Amino acid sequence: MTVIDSSPVRIPADSDHPPLSLLTCGPGGGHPLPEGRDHYTISEVAQVTGLTAHTLRWYERIGLMPHVDRSHTGQRRFRNRDLDWLALVGKLRLTGMPVADMVRYAELVREGEHTFEARQELLEETRRAVRARIEELRDTLAVLDYKIDVYADARRASERF
């Protein structure tokens, strides 16, 4: 297992979350990260991710956010790996995954490689739910398309007279 750092929370590189460039942070892709930096304040992370500082602190408190380094004055110092993780969490949120399941996933990651099967099962369950939601949305879109066509046909018919 490749380990990004030796903090109490160990996040394997590559295996658990793709790099930020694949996930993109924040609404509409977020803001690009400065080249050559690996330390960010909570306000910089909030700007990049679109999350509030309050949400970032809450994520840390509930165990969703891995260990965040602190400066000698106690200020949080986020690293690129933290931004990668937050990007993954953002994607999991978009799937509709409950926060409790996201926290469970984070716990499994911290526990190590022996939890790969449990992580896979959790993600597969989420994928099934996303696919079901996509089907619901396709059906809903078909109804909307039908209704729009009905109104367009009615408008065209009334314009003929």
Side-chain angles (χ1 to χ4, degrees):
M1 170 172 77
T2 305
V3 177
I4 293 175
D5 71 2
S6 60
S7 65
V9 176
R10 299 170 62 149
I11 299 177
D14 303 324
S15 62
D16 289 303
H17 53 281
L20 185 64
S21 60
L22 293 179
L23 294 170
T24 67
C25 278
H31 303 282
L33 298 175
E35 286 290 321
R37 284 194 52 202
D38 191 27
H39 288 95
Y40 309 93
T41 65
I42 198 165
S43 61
E44 290 171 324
V45 172
Q47 182 180 13
V48 168
T49 63
L51 299 170
T52 65
H54 175 77
T55 298
L56 292 166
R57 289 183 197 103
W58 180 65
Y59 280 4
E60 190 177 5
R61 202 169 42 251
I62 65 172
L64 183 56
M65 188 68 213
H67 170 76
V68 177
D69 294 334
R70 302 283 180 137
S71 70
H72 68 284
T73 61
Q75 291 180 315
R76 288 171 180 82
R77 291 177 19 174
F78 292 84
R79 302 192 61 183
N80 289 330
R81 67 176 167 80
D82 299 320
L83 297 179
D84 291 344
W85 179 259
L86 287 169
L88 174 63
V89 167
K91 294 300 182 188
L92 294 177
R93 286 177 55 220
L94 287 173
T95 70
M97 180 186 272
V99 172
D101 287 349
M102 288 188 277
V103 171
R104 177 68 184 135
Y105 181 80
E107 290 168 350
L108 291 169
V109 169
R110 286 191 290 269
E111 289 176 24
E113 289 183 6
H114 71 279
T115 66
F116 278 1
E117 186 176 334
R119 286 184 250 172
Q120 180 180 351
E121 288 173 14
L122 185 57
L123 294 175
E124 287 176 351
E125 180 180 317
T126 301
R127 180 175 59 191
R128 283 190 294 275
V130 168
R131 286 185 171 157
R133 182 68 179 134
I134 289 169
E135 284 306 310
E136 289 173 345
L137 289 172
R138 281 189 182 124
D139 291 346
T140 301
L141 184 59
V143 169
L144 289 173
D145 288 343
Y146 172 78
K147 292 301 285 181
I148 289 168
D149 289 344
V150 166
Y151 292 125
D153 291 344
R155 191 180 69 239
R156 281 191 293 272
S158 70
E159 291 172 356
R160 287 187 207 145
F161 297 106

